[in-house]
Amino acid sequence: VSAETNRNYKNGKLPWYFASGFLLFWGLLFFAIVVPSLYRLPTALTMEDADENVFIAERAYKDLYGLSNIGTKMVGSKENEVDAVQFLLGKLNKIKEESLKDYFDIEIDLSQGSGEFIYSDLLNKYQGVQNIAVKFSCKNSTSKNWLLVNSHFDSKPFTPSAGDAGFMIVVMLEVLRVMSTTKQIFEHTIVFLFNGAEESFLLASHAFMTTHRWAPNFKACVNLDAAGSGGRELLFQTGPNHPWLVKYYYQYAKHPFGTTLAEEIFQSGRVPSDSDYRIFKDYMPGLDFGQAINGYIYHTKYDTIDVISRESVQNSGDNALSIIRALSNATELRNTEAHKTGQAIYFDFLGLYFFHYSASTGQSLNFGIAGTAIALVFISMWRMAAVSQVSICHVFRWYILVQVIQIISFVLAFTLPIVVAYTMDLYDRSLTYFSNPLLIIGLYVCPSLLGLSLPITIYYSVQRNVSFSHIDLPINKLLLIMFLLQDKISTPYHLQLALHSQAVILAVLVISFTSLGIRSSYIFMIPLLFYVISMILNLMTILHDLGYAWTGFLKLSQVAPFLYSSYVIYLFIVVLTPMAGRDGSASNADITISALAALGTVLSFGLLVPLINTFRRPSIVIFTLITTIALTVYLASCTQLGFPYRAKTSGLRVAFLHVRNRFYEYDGSLSKDESGYLFNFQDRREEKALDGTDIDLTGLVSIKTKCYTQMMCGMPLYDFRYVDNRMQSKWLPRSEPIVPPGSAKLELLGKTFLNTTTVRFEFNLTGPPQMNLFIQPYEDVKIVNWSFSRKYLEEPPAYPLSFHIGFNYGNDSSPLNFFLELYKWNGNFNVASFELGVSSHYIGYTRDKITEEWASLLPKYAILADWPSSYERYKY
């Protein structure tokens, strides 16, 4: 029986060496089509093309050179508040002079704003942040429905910010220049907003929308930002609930690049970035674009013009010019509320075509395709039963067995990569793929492929190699019975059942995620749709019942979903891998990347991997995968290839503050005066990334215990990211005192009893442009009123008892005056009732000699973000 079965099994099968070639073909398809598609850019236009009234990358690039040469543009610095503003005003005035004055009016407005709002667990308070707004309208326009186009010219510390977001600033300049010199009128006024305080948590956009006289007129916005440098800009947010905006993008974007999956991932909070769109979407719908490629240099000193190609500028400029022109004539701007009809689903296919439809249409499409797939599976089983002359119940029983095996395969496909990631992290080998993303193939893709292929391959191997030489054993009797029953259904039918099982899994996922309102469920629908097409074609012909002939339509039908699935997941790996270097040490980015790689593998290969059983000796593929995994793990763990960091291109972010902490008691005495370096580690490896280097970290300790006993850990935590990562932060004491270049001055102006149980404290605060207030009342004391946001007082932050108020100023350094009113049931305010901490940050100041000598020992692959800080804690 076994010999006969083997002959039947081999009949129609290709030789074993084609099995590995089958997977290799899809790999080559990925590298030949998908990878180039992600990085494809248009030809950059030069000044020779200027007469055609199109976006000229060469001209914008020259503007970028001038803007980035100003250097770091922190809020409150001369570079940001004076130099950058003068540079932009000069460019804008020249554009105004050269504009077609018979056709257009241009008004340039420089404004300052002050205000406050809650951001994460932080209350942002600011004053004197600057905005340059350019009102661009057709002559004698009376439109009250305006379009806002925004980007920011300020920067994070120690970066010239050529990519984030000088790139987009010069795109806006060139769009305005082209439109103002072209005899092409438009209906709605356009305001180009060059805002000067985005990196300090969206201050300028908030100021503009809450204080500027033009704010009430805006009906839609286009926001331009970056989380990388160079490449194509990604449409990663839209609406909300205004699908007509996606329709305009579809019609007018020359180089489409966007996906709903990006929007939902970004809005989940898993991406350590933000944009002004967070502010704008509370006032109007819009489109949010961002550079996403090469995030390794984002917010570092390497974000320079030399890493940005003119072709990238041309890509963004072409899209921006076309979309802004279209929206400036959009009839929907006359009444945007009337077009608030729900969310949209959108995605591009290799940058060649842009698909979009409403979420309601997506639900119908998803449910319809999933239902059709399940129905066709049952029709196929009925056909198998008829051809094999067995009952449908007989076929269904075998289908149930294969379905269980496929579920096991599906679970293993996701579990094995995550196990590899967890194990690597357990042995301090996380982020090995950081500088060599190709390692992801061996570390995560191959384990996922192994999970997909191993159970079904074992199943078919047992079927063809079964031997019944010891029939006396009960288990062998059972196997004999199963074998004889299976023999009534051909092996090609059994393989079809395996693929049907995978399709049913996809159908269940589509139905489940769609029911939960997850628009990105379309990524499961696409491979299922094409599998449905192949089933229909096979069922309409004799190929369904002709050995392995049905695999022809299946392979052809899976080319398009393979290209798309691998394209969209590769995009996210390219975008999220650099983010792993700045997501905080509490986050294990390896788990995220491994799960993402597993998802891409399942979507791309889930309906293809079982086909290795159409070749002889499919176990060769299994052994090849195991060998590849073992070799990759060795290279990643034991060789320099797996070391995460490279100088300049993919460095280690080292963020630390040179801290002087001073604690003052209720009687004014100084109880603590300490100096040291506070490290906020940006990635999973923490200080282990510096093992074996010349830097001396002797005495480095966690501040975790301090966080349980002292307000805000007794440290000058810079922002909400420092606060969120405080339990992983570490302290390196220094014996020599650190002398910051200044100190915040907190003056108690008065202490007034309002009644027997309530007292009012009034303060005056002066210091550098970046400061923080930490306030913590004692257990028997309650803050009942203050000069800050009432909402923040009534809905305090997540960390116990402490309020965090960030204070930034731009062009207005006047003191911050504030008051606190405290209630105490016994009215005894002759003892300390609350603690107040003031942290001041001197960004851009040089290190002292000791710190400079110490920092010089850091390896070349380290990218430093450090500055002097002082922290004074008072008791009142």
Side-chain angles (χ1 to χ4, degrees), residues 35 38 40 73 77 190 265 273 591 603 704 730 825:
V35 175
L38 184 65
R40 183 174 56 243
K73 297 174 283 294
S77 68
I190 307 170
I265 290 177
S273 293
I591 300 296
L603 292 174
K704 193 171 185 177
K730 297 189 178 180
W825 69 274

Side-chain angles (χ1 to χ4, degrees), residues 684-760:
R684 188 69 170 175
R685 291 207 169 192
E686 298 185 332
E687 75 274 12
K688 302 180 195 73
L690 299 171
D691 288 348
T693 65
D694 295 332
I695 196 70
D696 183 10
L697 295 176
T698 304
L700 186 71
V701 294
S702 172
I703 67 168
K704 193 171 185 177
T705 55
K706 293 184 177 182
C707 295
Y708 292 121
T709 58
Q710 299 179 29
M711 177 181 62
M712 287 297 183
C713 313
M715 293 290 169
L717 304 178
Y718 172 59
D719 57 20
F720 79 96
R721 298 195 189 281
Y722 268 76
V723 173
D724 290 345
N725 204 43
R726 66 192 183 280
M727 294 299 184
Q728 285 71 42
S729 296
K730 297 189 178 180
W731 173 255
L732 182 63
R734 187 177 116 168
S735 56
E736 300 85 354
I738 289 174
V739 182
S743 64
K745 182 181 178 182
L746 181 68
E747 182 181 359
L748 177 61
L749 299 179
K751 179 180 178 182
T752 307
F753 285 88
L754 302 181
N755 52 52
T756 57
T757 57
T758 308
V759 67
R760 178 186 178 107

Side-chain angles (χ1 to χ4, degrees), residues 1 62 85 92 124 135-136 151 407 420 423 514 645 657 757 810:
V1 174
K62 289 179 180 178
V85 169
L92 291 169
N124 264 326
K135 180 184 172 187
F136 178 50
S151 192
I407 291 173
V420 172
T423 304
T514 303
Y645 315 108
L657 307 178
T757 57

